[in-house]
Amino acid sequence: MRAIRLREMLHTIERSAKRTASLTSRPIFDPRVMEALEQVPRDAFVPPELLDQAFDNGPLPIGQGQTISQPYIVALMTDLLEPQPAQTILEIGTGSGYQAAILAQLVQQVYSLEIIPTLAAQAAELLSRLGYANIEVRTGDGHSGWPEHAPYDGIIVTAAATHLPQALIDQLRPGGRLVIPVGRPYLSQELLLIEKDPRGELHTSDMLGVAFVPMTGGVHARRNNH
Ligand code: SAH
């Protein structure tokens, strides 16, 4: 039953990729990305009481008002990053740890920042239990990025930002790719692909409308903390 549901999830992603190709210009995702989606057990990342929905193509609540993203969106964002085996990727918004696990199948090292300490701890514990040795999770505010390991070959933000955080642009390697939903909290957001060319200039492509939980923290929160 599990194997069948997983197959169905992969087929649904493939169909969605074709259906949205006019917006994304990506009718087919990289076979390596699809393989990663096949290998990472999404059922390990959802709450036990939602196990029967683990392979549905929808977001699911993971506690603390947060969600594990829809599989098709995870696939699309991963594909947009064009991950390569020798790369280092920064993720903002660890959540359940699912997206980090997908990336860890595809690149050398993943750093993932989560603003809610309980979620960061839970994800770190789960990822290490599943054997992922190339993911480091830390509690922190993604607006500042993770300067110690910069520059990154790719940065993926899985919460909706109101603007492009400058620290993330700065921490992206020339030639690198940043995938981020930008827009108004709980309202319309656009999934953006930002490519930093070798001269450091940015090129933005607008993919499609998405609905992410908001990126919290930022300048105001930091000020309040002081
Ligand atoms: N990638 C996750 C989905 C996460 S939902 C997964 O695969 O399950 C978005 C996550 O971003 C939430 O856990 C939320 O707490 C976190 N988040 C929100 N604002 C953040 C910020 N400023 N810095 C880091 N994480 C943030």
Side-chain angles (χ1 to χ4, degrees):
M1 200 55 208
R2 182 186 182 278
I4 295 170
R5 289 199 166 152
L6 176 58
R7 279 262 128 239
E8 277 172 5
M9 184 187 93
L10 298 171
H11 284 145
T12 305
I13 292 172
E14 281 165 357
R15 278 197 305 275
S16 303
K18 289 207 174 68
R19 209 178 46 236
T20 51
S22 61
L23 301 171
T24 63
S25 310
R26 285 171 185 254
I28 295 172
F29 295 152
D30 184 337
R32 288 182 66 239
V33 171
M34 295 308 295
E35 205 177 294
L37 283 148
E38 188 173 353
Q39 285 166 355
V40 176
R42 192 169 188 260
D43 43 350
F45 294 85
V46 306
E49 65 275 16
L50 298 176
L51 257 190
D52 59 328
Q53 297 171 58
F55 298 110
D56 289 358
N57 188 34
L60 290 172
I62 55 169
Q64 313 279 334
Q66 306 305 322
T67 54
I68 177 172
S69 306
Q70 177 190 7
Y72 157 71
I73 291 292
V74 172
L76 172 63
M77 291 175 83
T78 307
D79 197 70
L80 288 170
L81 277 180
E82 299 185 356
Q84 305 299 324
Q87 289 184 341
T88 297
I89 304 283
L90 173 66
E91 178 190 30
I92 307 301
T94 316
S96 68
Y98 179 69
Q99 173 74 70
I102 297 283
L103 289 168
Q105 299 274 138
L106 296 162
V107 303
Q108 187 168 323
Q109 181 67 38
V110 178
Y111 293 100
S112 187
L113 272 178
E114 169 58 53
I115 203 163
I116 301 178
T118 350
L119 287 180
Q122 275 170 15
E125 199 271 326
L126 174 61
L127 290 166
S128 96
R129 187 148 43 86
L130 293 174
Y132 289 98
N134 60 340
I135 305 173
E136 207 178 308
V137 178
R138 197 175 82 176
T139 299
D141 183 347
H143 285 98
S144 313
W146 191 333
E148 288 87 338
H149 306 289
Y152 300 97
D153 301 298
I155 301 180
I156 179 171
V157 182
T158 65
T162 54
H163 65 282
L164 216 51
Q166 185 58 41
L168 299 185
I169 304 282
D170 295 344
Q171 291 172 29
L172 187 64
R173 185 191 301 285
R177 303 163 79 83
L178 165 62
V179 178
I180 179 170
V182 176
R184 292 164 65 197
Y186 297 113
L187 294 169
S188 68
Q189 305 147 16
E190 291 293 320
L191 186 62
L192 305 183
L193 166 65
I194 292 144
E195 295 168 271
K196 194 189 239 192
D197 73 20
R199 292 182 317 182
E201 279 170 29
L202 303 181
H203 305 273
T204 302
S205 333
D206 190 334
M207 292 295 142
L208 75 179
V210 287
F212 277 84
V213 294
M215 194 171 172
T216 57
V219 177
H220 303 296
R222 271 205 305 280
R223 209 176 279 151
N224 292 343
N225 285 344
H226 288 164

